[in-house]
Amino acid sequence: MSSTTAATARTRSRPTRVEVDLDAIRRNATRLRELAGAELCAVVKADAYGHGAVPVARAAIEGGAGCLAVALVEEGEALRDAGLDAQILVLSEPPVAAVPQLLAAELTPVVYRPSFAAALDEAGRARGRPVAVHVKLDTGMGRVGIPPALWRERLAGLASLPGIEVAGLLTHLARAEELDAPTTGEQLAAFDEGLAIAAELGLRPRWIHAANTAGALAWPAARRDLVRCGIGLYGLSPGGGIDAAAHGLVPALRVVSEVSFAKQVPAGTAVSYGHHWRAPTDGWLATVPIGYADGVPRRLGNRIEVLLDGRRRPLVGAVTMDQVLVWCDRHEPRAGDEVVLLGEQGSERIRVEEWAAAGETITYEIVTQLSARLPRQHRDGQAAPHAPRTGSDRRTQ
Ligand SMILES: *Cc1c(COP(=O)(O)O)cnc(C)c1O
């Protein structure tokens, strides 16, 4: 916490920032839970997809999420350090050496390797209280999990360990955002076979789960007891045929800066590295202090627009490490004018989905690559009914 305080106290030399609307997070959590008709596990790995894990986790819980999920033990520890006491699932196995840390932070591991289960069993017996785990079946993602052919034997082995309690069974969908992919139905059928085997072994775990955001939104059969939503919590589309906005989810993040320099140029003026753009007419150029070191992908040069003076204006020339250029045509920009790279200004909005399409990538990659150099400012306006806290701007980092 002390480093947070120190960073906040230091004067910022640059106006460029990420603003996160915690009301949007709360409302998205409530919405996802309603849509899925299941418990919501808010996935806040990778610093809540760049949105700031601690404030986002709090807002998600205020919005009705019943548990949290992270990728790393350290991410779970940071949530505990901040005072979050919800159940925290660690989505893949850390090295066995991290077991003491994992247990000290009361994190709930996802388990699939016998060696990892053995280490947890030993630790659970040593402390005299079994470790609750969720066991993962690989029904077709092909990344981690117990293969179906080994499921009965491995699950029986796990269930026999006195230091472990099987509290959940899960799988992960590979193509849930493809509305007509046959593999999702096949994966769910394989999961059901795995669940039947678990029942034969006498297991009745409390939590059965399969859906990520796309599964929760598009595949009712994937919903089960719990849905694990990341991208939808941030109001962003998972890709494929699923539009977050059409499901009533709202983006929480804005990337904002200001004009740092403005100049009038004659037609034909070439700008930035490589001179990949020339002014089509006499007009105005604005320089904005944000670049690829902040997470604006270099390949988006000449491919996206920003909002300046309430209007869309093209980002022109190569994106440089710390700065980009914006063509303002006949409009004269002034140093200090607000520039929005992502999010709303007036009645216009630039969506993360636009950057993803222009960069031939997915929304996940865009937001997780917004770098640590951009301070995150958390805005907490009108509190949702779940949220007794109200407030002024909360600033972290
Ligand atoms: C990241 C992750 C999720 C969340 O996926 P979204 O598409 O962001 O909702 C769910 N489950 C697992 C296992 C994950 O790794």
Side-chain angles (χ1 to χ4, degrees):
M1 289 310 259
S2 57
S3 65
T4 302
T5 312
T8 307
R10 202 177 300 134
T11 305
R12 295 202 175 280
S13 65
R14 190 177 73 152
T16 310
R17 61 200 184 268
V18 169
E19 293 176 0
V20 178
D21 175 1
L22 294 176
D23 285 338
I25 300 286
R26 273 190 209 101
R27 280 184 277 134
N28 291 339
T30 305
R31 180 89 185 123
L32 285 164
R33 206 165 169 239
E34 278 170 12
L35 286 169
E39 182 68 89
L40 172 65
C41 178
V43 180
V44 295
K45 62 193 178 187
D47 200 26
Y49 295 32
H51 292 64
V54 167
V56 163
R58 280 200 194 106
I61 286 172
E62 288 162 358
C67 85
L68 303 167
V70 295
L72 311 185
V73 171
E74 290 85 337
E75 292 173 340
E77 289 177 312
L79 296 173
R80 291 286 184 244
D81 289 348
L84 284 145
D85 57 10
Q87 174 164 199
I88 302 175
L89 213 51
V90 181
L91 292 170
S92 50
E93 289 181 1
V96 164
V99 164
Q101 266 172 276
L102 185 144
L103 296 185
E106 296 283 344
L107 308 178
T108 304
V110 167
V111 175
Y112 34 85
R113 285 182 310 156
S115 56
F116 187 68
L120 291 173
D121 172 50
E122 196 182 320
R125 282 186 285 121
R127 74 174 186 184
R129 179 163 57 93
V131 181
V133 304
H134 289 212
V135 186
K136 187 163 193 178
L137 174 62
D138 181 7
T139 58
M141 176 67 183
R143 185 170 62 174
V144 293
I146 299 174
L150 299 176
W151 178 247
R152 182 185 295 273
E153 175 204 327
R154 292 270 166 92
L155 186 63
L158 271 164
S160 72
L161 299 173
I164 279 183
E165 179 213 333
V166 178
L169 298 174
L170 72 150
T171 194
H172 191 46
L173 302 172
R175 298 172 63 179
E177 67 285 353
E178 296 173 54
L179 301 180
D180 51 6
T183 57
T184 298
E186 291 161 15
Q187 283 198 263
L188 293 172
F191 190 43
D192 284 332
E193 282 175 38
L195 298 177
I197 289 169
E200 284 166 30
L201 295 172
L203 291 170
R204 299 268 180 282
R206 169 68 186 85
W207 301 109
I208 304 295
H209 47 119
N212 53 6
T213 296
L217 294 179
W219 299 88
R223 288 169 186 159
R224 313 297 164 113
D225 300 325
L226 173 90
V227 294
R228 306 182 304 265
C229 296
I231 204 76
L233 184 65
Y234 310 105
L236 304 175
S237 305
I242 301 177
D243 179 20
H247 290 278
L249 301 169
V250 288
L253 172 143
R254 292 208 317 155
V255 176
V256 189
S257 187
E258 291 176 4
V259 173
S260 59
F261 185 76
K263 63 177 174 290
Q264 202 168 18
V265 297
T269 303
V271 301
S272 196
Y273 293 119
H275 283 176
H276 297 304
W277 181 88
R278 285 174 191 278
T281 59
D282 294 356
W284 288 88
L285 275 168
T287 304
V288 184
I290 186 170
Y292 61 76
D294 300 296
V296 180
R298 189 172 178 281
R299 66 183 312 181
L300 295 188
N302 279 326
R303 295 189 188 184
I304 53 169
E305 295 171 315
V306 306
L307 302 177
L308 197 165
D309 194 38
R311 306 235 335 240
R312 285 178 170 260
R313 305 195 183 273
L315 187 155
V316 296
V319 173
T320 74
M321 190 182 293
D322 313 301
Q323 304 179 77
V324 294
L325 292 153
V326 175
W327 176 241
C328 298
D329 206 349
R330 280 173 226 299
H331 172 77
E332 180 183 349
R334 308 266 176 184
D337 286 353
E338 185 192 70
V339 178
V340 172
L341 288 104
L342 287 172
E344 285 174 327
Q345 187 186 63
S347 57
E348 272 287 356
R349 180 196 286 280
I350 310 273
R351 300 185 68 196
V352 176
E353 285 81 353
E354 289 177 44
W355 281 30
E360 290 164 44
T361 182
I362 53 175
T363 55
Y364 303 72
E365 191 179 38
I366 299 292
V367 287
T368 56
Q369 290 193 0
L370 295 172
S371 80
R373 193 163 77 166
L374 295 173
R376 269 58 172 179
Q377 295 181 358
H378 293 94
R379 294 180 179 272
D380 210 346
Q382 239 177 312
H386 296 278
R389 295 190 307 118
T390 53
S392 47
D393 285 6
R394 287 177 52 83
R395 184 181 283 224
T396 59
Q397 249 199 14

